[in-house]
Amino acid sequence: MEQYEPDRLTPVQAAAVRRSLRNGRAALTRRSLLRASAGGALALGGAGALGGCGIPAAGKTEGGTSAEDHSAQEKTVSFSNWTEYMDVDDSGKHHPTLEAFTKRTGIKVTYTEDVNDNNEFFGKIKPQLAAGQDTGRDLVVLTDWLAARLIRLGWVQKLDPSHLPHAYANLSSQFRSPDWDPGRAYSYPWQGISTVIAYNKKALDGVEVTSVSDLLDNPRLKGRVGFLTEMRDSVGMTLLDMGKDPADFTDDDYDAAVARLQKAVDSGQIRRFTGNDYTSDLSSGDFAACIAWAGDVVQLKADSPDIDFVIPDSGYMTSTDALLIPNKARHKTNAERLIDYYYEPQPAAELAAYINYVCPVDGVEAELAKIDEDAANNPLIIPDQAMQAKSHAFRSLSSKEETAYEAKFAKLTGA
């Protein structure tokens, strides 16, 4: 079992947290700006690392620690999620899919948008989890690297497959078996997060961009290239370009990828590393091309005919925000029923039409087309088989690796 040491981050890890809060996926300024008629906010998660060695974790690695399930007597479920990560009606006061779930099942959902950053939220719930106590939440959404940490600590409950027939049947193949949760024993994706290459056609002025190599090596793009402050995205895309698998790489592979990025920094090829603020650089033409998150690209393309994207032949990075049931949750069965509900095509389509992120549910296209045909045909929302085949995930890191890798990346970015 991984050991847990409360309230101690290395200086490098703390710097990673600050980067995420300042301008990484945890910076939520885009959420209030990107809503179009069908919505379009991002699912953002912080980057960083938690814990190390210290006191043993409460709970068990196999199955977590359950409480007596009160689902049959108490028709309620407490759900904590990220801001702007649920469908909302025109009044801004109602969540149609949640209300439809309650109408069908009689289970009232207490829905709270209190996840603003992975590390910050972990700080809220870790005292109870470490002490083997109820967090007051039955269901939470956290980015996969933190989901992996909670599973290793034994702080989330093993799911009951008999309560998840739609989830089991309809989960997209690209998300079925991450190395940190083989077979999805403890988690299911809420939404997928794809990292691609975005470009401004006008700013490119005829330059062809099809790969990370083009970003790093084409002298005509010098000073007009952007990479992300999220280590897994920038290094992962570079590893792919170098023919390495982000799910199975060595320290030497990582160092080679960082060195390649460092060369582009030193030469002035890379203008800067950014969080979501790359969107303004791309729209203005200060960036001719950059590493970008697909949720942003969907909206930027809708706003400007000059913005487009490309999936490199080498592949692209994918991560997820995951649904988890914490230890000691009082309403485990109700939480599982809510997870399963969002793997039915109709509610999954309604959610996808609103938030415009990668839908992890197979068979949703027909329902989504009834709501938004463009979204149903958008590979950034519904990846086709060819795009799914190019999807790669960054492997899980030990605490030691996390510290070392973040230190090297912080030096690269100047953080």
Side-chain angles (χ1 to χ4, degrees):
M1 180 187 296
E2 178 168 330
Q3 302 295 297
Y4 168 65
E5 181 178 358
D7 300 320
R8 184 176 297 178
L9 294 175
T10 70
V12 169
Q13 291 170 336
V17 174
R18 289 193 296 271
R19 285 203 311 275
S20 183
L21 287 169
R22 184 174 66 247
N23 61 2
R25 286 200 204 129
L28 300 178
T29 55
R30 290 281 294 164
R31 291 188 179 276
S32 62
L33 300 175
L34 285 183
R35 185 176 302 164
S37 58
L42 282 178
L44 308 183
L50 301 166
C53 297
I55 64 171
K60 304 174 182 178
T61 55
E62 290 297 327
T65 305
S66 63
E68 181 181 352
D69 192 351
H70 298 267
S71 293
Q73 299 80 28
E74 300 174 5
K75 294 292 186 178
T76 185
V77 61
S78 178
F79 183 10
S80 285
N81 202 350
W82 294 80
T83 307
E84 302 275 359
Y85 214 7
M86 180 66 72
D87 55 302
V88 180
D89 69 359
D90 291 340
S91 73
K93 298 179 180 179
H94 301 280
H95 301 293
T97 57
L98 287 177
E99 292 182 4
F101 172 79
T102 298
K103 184 177 181 179
R104 181 202 296 183
T105 64
I107 299 170
K108 180 181 178 182
V109 182
T110 302
Y111 183 71
T112 308
E113 295 181 334
D114 59 347
V115 185
N116 293 311
D117 170 68
N118 285 292
N119 289 296
E120 179 185 61
F121 187 76
F122 184 77
K124 292 180 183 179
I125 63 175
K126 67 181 179 182
Q128 296 100 314
L129 292 173
Q133 300 172 352
D134 180 15
T135 66
R137 299 166 175 87
D138 301 305
L139 190 63
V140 298
V141 176
L142 297 171
T143 305
D144 51 17
W145 62 264
L146 181 54
R149 176 62 60 99
L150 293 179
I151 291 170
R152 291 197 302 269
L153 288 167
W155 286 357
V156 294
Q157 298 188 50
K158 198 167 189 176
L159 301 172
D160 184 342
S162 70
H163 297 156
L164 299 160
H166 296 98
Y168 181 81
N170 296 335
L171 176 60
S172 173
S173 59
Q174 74 179 110
F175 299 119
R176 278 201 173 267
S177 194
D179 68 345
W180 50 271
D181 188 14
R184 291 292 179 184
Y186 297 91
S187 70
Y188 269 87
W190 176 244
Q191 295 291 291
I193 305 167
S194 296
T195 305
V196 300
I197 294 175
Y199 58 86
N200 184 316
K201 286 180 272 190
K202 185 176 180 180
L204 282 179
D205 193 26
V207 177
E208 185 179 25
V209 172
T210 62
S211 68
V212 171
S213 288
D214 291 330
L215 299 183
L216 295 176
D217 301 331
N218 192 324
R220 293 180 62 187
L221 298 179
K222 184 175 181 179
R224 300 190 296 135
V225 169
F227 274 70
L228 293 168
T229 54
E230 299 293 345
M231 179 267 286
R232 289 167 177 80
D233 293 317
S234 287
V235 175
M237 291 291 281
T238 305
L239 284 167
L240 285 171
D241 191 71
M242 298 169 66
K244 302 297 183 179
D245 184 356
D248 183 20
F249 63 89
T250 66
D251 288 347
D252 287 343
D253 294 333
Y254 183 89
D255 289 346
V258 170
R260 190 167 182 220
L261 290 168
Q262 186 68 60
K263 180 180 178 181
V265 169
D266 294 342
S267 70
Q269 183 78 7
I270 294 177
R271 184 184 183 93
R272 66 189 185 105
F273 289 82
T274 72
N276 287 106
D277 48 330
Y278 71 82
T279 55
S280 59
D281 288 308
L282 188 62
S283 296
S284 69
D286 287 341
F287 282 167
C290 62
I291 303 298
W293 290 308
D296 275 331
V297 178
V298 172
Q299 283 300 307
L300 292 173
K301 278 174 60 65
D303 295 339
S304 171
D306 290 327
I307 305 301
D308 213 333
F309 74 98
V310 64
I311 303 296
D313 288 340
S314 60
Y316 67 101
M317 296 303 298
T318 296
S319 57
T320 61
D321 286 324
L323 293 152
L324 303 157
I325 299 176
N327 283 357
K328 295 292 184 176
R330 287 176 58 89
H331 310 105
K332 180 175 183 285
T333 298
N334 290 346
E336 290 167 334
R337 292 184 68 181
L338 185 57
I339 293 172
D340 196 60
Y341 168 74
Y342 278 105
Y343 275 81
E344 296 179 27
Q346 183 176 346
E350 292 182 42
L351 182 65
Y354 186 82
I355 63 177
N356 291 174
Y357 234 74
V358 179
C359 180
V361 182
D362 275 344
V364 77
E365 293 92 335
E367 291 294 333
L368 184 55
K370 297 175 185 177
I371 304 169
D372 186 339
E373 190 170 352
D374 288 340
N377 294 322
N378 191 331
L380 296 182
I381 299 173
I382 308 293
D384 56 24
Q385 289 187 352
M387 185 167 175
Q388 287 187 30
K390 292 184 176 182
S391 170
H392 297 267
F394 205 91
R395 70 170 173 82
S396 298
L397 300 178
S398 68
S399 295
K400 182 179 179 180
E401 287 177 321
E402 184 84 45
T403 300
Y405 289 176
E406 284 288 0
K408 293 170 182 177
F409 191 71
K411 183 178 180 181
L412 167 71
T413 62

